[in-house]
Amino acid sequence: MDVCPNVCAVQKVIGTNKKYFTNCKQWYQRKICGKSTVISYECCPGYEKVPGEKGCPAALPLSNLYETLGVVGSTTTQLYTDRTEKLRPEMEGPGSFTIFAPSNEAWASLPAEVLDSLVSNVNIELLNALRYHMVGRRVLTDELKHGMTLTSMYQNSDIQIHHYPNGIVTVNCARLLKADHHATNGVVHLIDKVISTVTNNIQQIIEIEDTFETLRAAVAASGLNTMLEGNGQYTLLAPTNEAFEKIPSETLNRILGDPEALRDLLNNHILKSAMCAEAIVAGLSLETLEGTTLEVGCSGDMLTINGKAIISNKDILATNGVIHYIDELLIPDSAKTLFELAAESDVSTAIDLFRQAGLGTHLSGSERLTLLAPLNSVFKDGTPPIDAHTRNLLRNHIIKDQLASKYLYHGQTLETLGGKKLRVFVYRNSLCIENSCIAAHDKRGRYGTLFTMDRLLTPPMGTVMDVLKGDNRFSMLVAAIQSAGLTETLNREGVYTVFAPTNEAFRALPPRERSRLLGDAKELANILKYHVGDEILVSGGIGALVRLKSLQGDKLEVSLKNNVVSVNKEPVAEPDIMATNGVVHVITNVLQPPANRPQERGDELADSALEIFKQASAFSRASQRSVRLAPVYQRLLERMKH
């Protein structure tokens, strides 16, 4: 970004010597690996300042490659070039070359023994090392494409180029610091590391490194060695022996003995492209061959995986990718048992109950199952005692199939280990199984899937009429249903939501109104039908407001606020008593259809009387007799309103 002629922006990491000749994509973050940065401006390559002038208007005269090394700040490379007999004349002579020149800091950071071996044999080792940094033609950054290779001047060995979406370019995983410094006989790019030839593929590196003994055996057992020694560009997050030792031997032996789980485990450590550490300047979501997304980031000089600094050695380059050593296994869900899936979820209380109830073998075996595990918060007031009833209830939280919630549909039935048939209800913002709704994304394991649920599930225990007859709170409602001739309706197959008034609700009616209602079968049926919705609506399926059509024809206004269900603005005392043909919500008042509500009846009568009064007033202007009648209508109006 030029603010003046030939001025380039530089992002500097505060407290370090790191600089990034960056692009606008990174500026909004103003951070590199969590460290704050400042934007400064420098002359672009090949230009310099002029006193009294803005920007960098003066173009530098071009020099040969050797002299340009000094201009870009690679004087150590210049020094080592001098020590060889052949290279300086070549850099100063005719031709067209590219040199990826290590910075002075890059040379200084080399291990002493490596540097000693180079400088002790300058005309072979040092010369070869420097020639490997050179290409026999001019290559500018706009030609450096992701995944390409360049042929070096040392035995035609390949140099690997990666150009990442964030603008960073790496050369054998060394970051390009300053690019495109033109020379009379080529171009100089400054890089942050001394690079070396790459001869081994990923599989060969696994074979020769002692720290990969367990990984070596796992790769051989899985058959992935063919891929890891073939063509391609991968990133292997290679677990060390220590990483394998950290997991329980029972888990490790189970995975190693299961070819599919083992393959998923290893594929979860392989990224689909080569990712050098220097390309990570902020968090990235990267997909593994297994299909899982890993959050790869950095904190200072450390790389992180899913927020953990578990990479112990980075940027081991191979001919077909790059290896980073990690000290912790990345076990994907697809290689885990239900117990192992649950260990990382907020359902530990439920899992303890399943274990205490003797159902542990189902959660650690090879049955195809789906576990409906309530959240820990469901048990904030305590857990039920482990008795026959609880064991049976928990068995009905285990579905006899491995499911995925995205394939569930409304009205589907699911069979449990306890022998019950559970129904699926799909609502606008929730997916429920009976009264319990899914509260988190599925976790799909090797054989089982974990559904995290928002409450304990209660399977249906008979029809709506069976539920009402079996509860003493509803004896008056049952009698009313029988009197109104609705027993057969609520006993037959269907989908009903019943707002069931308790005996206290009926007793709260004025005696005359209660007697009148119970004595008029037609009116009673009308009132009772208004308490029955024509679909199943559990509390978890209620949004801010649902208008539920009743069997009577008018709509019920059902809402949920602060976890309290209300119908027509009256709170529900107990929601979600499940029946085979519906759901029952307990209420403590008798609902009145709109036409029966006193205020609305009064308003209708008042409107009628007002119309009569208007007609009488009009008539009075034509007839004195009508004027005498007008007070009669006025009194009628007042009576109607009260």
Side-chain angles (χ1 to χ4, degrees), residues 600-616 633-634 636-638 640-641:
E600 294 181 23
R601 288 202 310 272
D603 289 346
E604 290 172 7
L605 292 171
D607 289 343
S608 298
L610 183 60
E611 184 60 32
I612 295 172
F613 179 69
K614 287 178 179 177
Q615 292 176 10
Y633 295 119
Q634 182 65 48
L636 176 61
L637 170 62
E638 295 302 322
M640 294 289 190
K641 284 188 173 181

Side-chain angles (χ1 to χ4, degrees), residues 336-611:
K336 294 177 181 177
T337 65
L338 280 168
F339 266 143
E340 291 161 354
L341 291 175
E344 300 170 0
S345 304
D346 189 22
V347 294
S348 56
T349 305
I351 295 305
D352 286 341
L353 287 175
F354 283 109
R355 188 181 283 112
Q356 293 170 33
L359 298 172
T361 54
H362 295 292
L363 307 188
S364 58
S366 57
E367 296 173 87
R368 295 286 180 184
L369 301 171
T370 298
L371 179 66
L372 310 179
L375 287 162
N376 289 338
S377 57
V378 172
F379 304 100
K380 62 181 183 297
D381 296 326
T383 57
I386 301 300
D387 53 22
H389 171 75
T390 301
R391 286 190 184 90
N392 195 46
L393 178 64
L394 293 175
R395 285 175 64 82
N396 286 320
H397 281 71
I398 303 175
I399 308 297
K400 293 167 64 174
D401 194 6
Q402 186 176 16
L403 304 172
S405 62
K406 63 184 176 182
Y407 295 119
L408 297 181
Y409 56 89
H410 193 76
Q412 183 178 3
T413 58
L414 313 172
E415 186 178 355
T416 72
L417 286 184
K420 291 290 183 181
K421 299 281 189 182
L422 305 180
R423 296 159 297 180
V424 175
F425 304 122
V426 179
Y427 301 104
R428 184 173 299 278
N429 296 310
S430 54
L431 178 60
C432 306
I433 300 173
E434 295 299 335
N435 62 304
S436 184
C437 301
I438 296 175
H441 292 298
D442 308 3
K443 283 184 170 290
R444 187 177 177 87
R446 175 68 178 92
Y447 295 104
T449 297
L450 176 70
F451 286 177
T452 301
M453 310 302 290
D454 67 353
R455 67 197 69 198
L456 264 175
L457 183 144
T458 53
M461 303 297 289
T463 67
V464 167
M465 280 307 296
D466 293 331
V467 169
L468 297 177
K469 286 179 180 178
D471 192 326
N472 291 332
R473 292 177 295 176
F474 304 122
S475 58
M476 294 182 71
L477 175 60
V478 169
I481 290 171
Q482 291 170 339
S483 298
L486 295 176
T487 304
E488 184 181 347
T489 299
L490 298 181
N491 256 331
R492 68 181 175 220
E493 192 174 311
V495 286
Y496 304 116
T497 295
V498 178
F499 293 94
T502 60
N503 295 341
E504 287 72 18
F506 280 100
R507 294 189 186 109
L509 291 172
R512 286 184 63 185
E513 184 178 345
R514 184 171 67 242
S515 298
R516 180 187 60 78
L517 178 63
L518 297 177
D520 185 340
K522 185 177 180 181
E523 177 64 14
L524 180 59
N526 188 60
I527 292 285
L528 292 177
K529 285 180 180 179
Y530 184 63
H531 288 73
V532 182
D534 64 355
E535 61 180 282
I536 296 178
L537 181 63
V538 299
S539 59
I542 302 170
L545 178 67
V546 175
R547 301 193 73 217
L548 180 65
K549 186 178 180 182
S550 72
L551 297 187
Q552 176 262 357
D554 289 316
K555 290 186 176 180
L556 298 157
E557 293 192 351
V558 189
S559 60
L560 180 69
K561 186 176 182 180
N562 298 326
N563 291 323
V564 176
V565 178
S566 297
V567 55
N568 293 351
K569 299 182 180 179
E570 295 291 339
V572 168
E574 180 186 345
D576 299 333
I577 303 175
M578 304 309 296
T580 55
N581 59 345
V583 60
V584 174
H585 303 297
V586 182
I587 57 175
T588 55
N589 60 300
V590 177
L591 304 176
Q592 296 290 341
N596 288 24
R597 294 172 196 166
Q599 181 61 44
E600 294 181 23
R601 288 202 310 272
D603 289 346
E604 290 172 7
L605 292 171
D607 289 343
S608 298
L610 183 60
E611 184 60 32

Side-chain angles (χ1 to χ4, degrees), residues 45-188:
Y47 295 89
E48 66 177 354
K49 295 181 179 180
V50 174
E53 298 287 335
K54 288 185 176 181
C56 304
L60 292 169
L62 290 184
S63 303
N64 58 49
L65 278 180
Y66 176 80
E67 292 177 355
T68 304
L69 288 173
V71 174
V72 302
S74 185
T75 54
T76 305
T77 306
Q78 209 175 31
L79 173 67
Y80 288 148
T81 299
D82 271 336
R83 291 195 182 183
T84 68
E85 296 178 359
K86 301 178 181 178
L87 199 53
R88 179 170 178 175
E90 196 168 357
M91 285 190 178
E92 292 179 326
S96 180
F97 308 100
T98 296
I99 181 167
F100 295 102
S103 65
N104 295 340
E105 293 80 7
W107 286 107
S109 66
L110 276 181
E113 62 273 15
V114 174
L115 196 55
D116 287 345
S117 70
L118 292 175
V119 298
S120 64
N121 193 347
V122 293
N123 287 316
I124 297 178
E125 296 295 336
L126 185 58
L127 177 63
N128 290 342
L130 289 171
R131 281 186 171 278
Y132 183 63
H133 288 73
M134 298 179 67
V135 177
R137 62 183 180 89
R138 187 189 307 265
V139 183
L140 300 176
T141 49
D142 60 1
E143 190 183 336
L144 299 178
K145 306 300 182 184
H146 191 71
M148 74 179 293
T149 59
L150 295 173
T151 302
S152 78
M153 292 174 59
Y154 170 64
Q155 296 184 353
N156 292 329
S157 299
D158 285 341
I159 300 173
Q160 295 184 19
I161 303 297
H162 292 96
H163 198 151
Y164 296 95
N166 59 11
I168 288 175
V169 178
T170 62
V171 180
N172 279 18
C173 283
R175 180 165 60 89
L176 215 63
L177 299 176
K178 293 183 179 180
D180 295 341
H181 283 267
H182 290 272
T184 55
N185 56 346
V187 63
V188 177

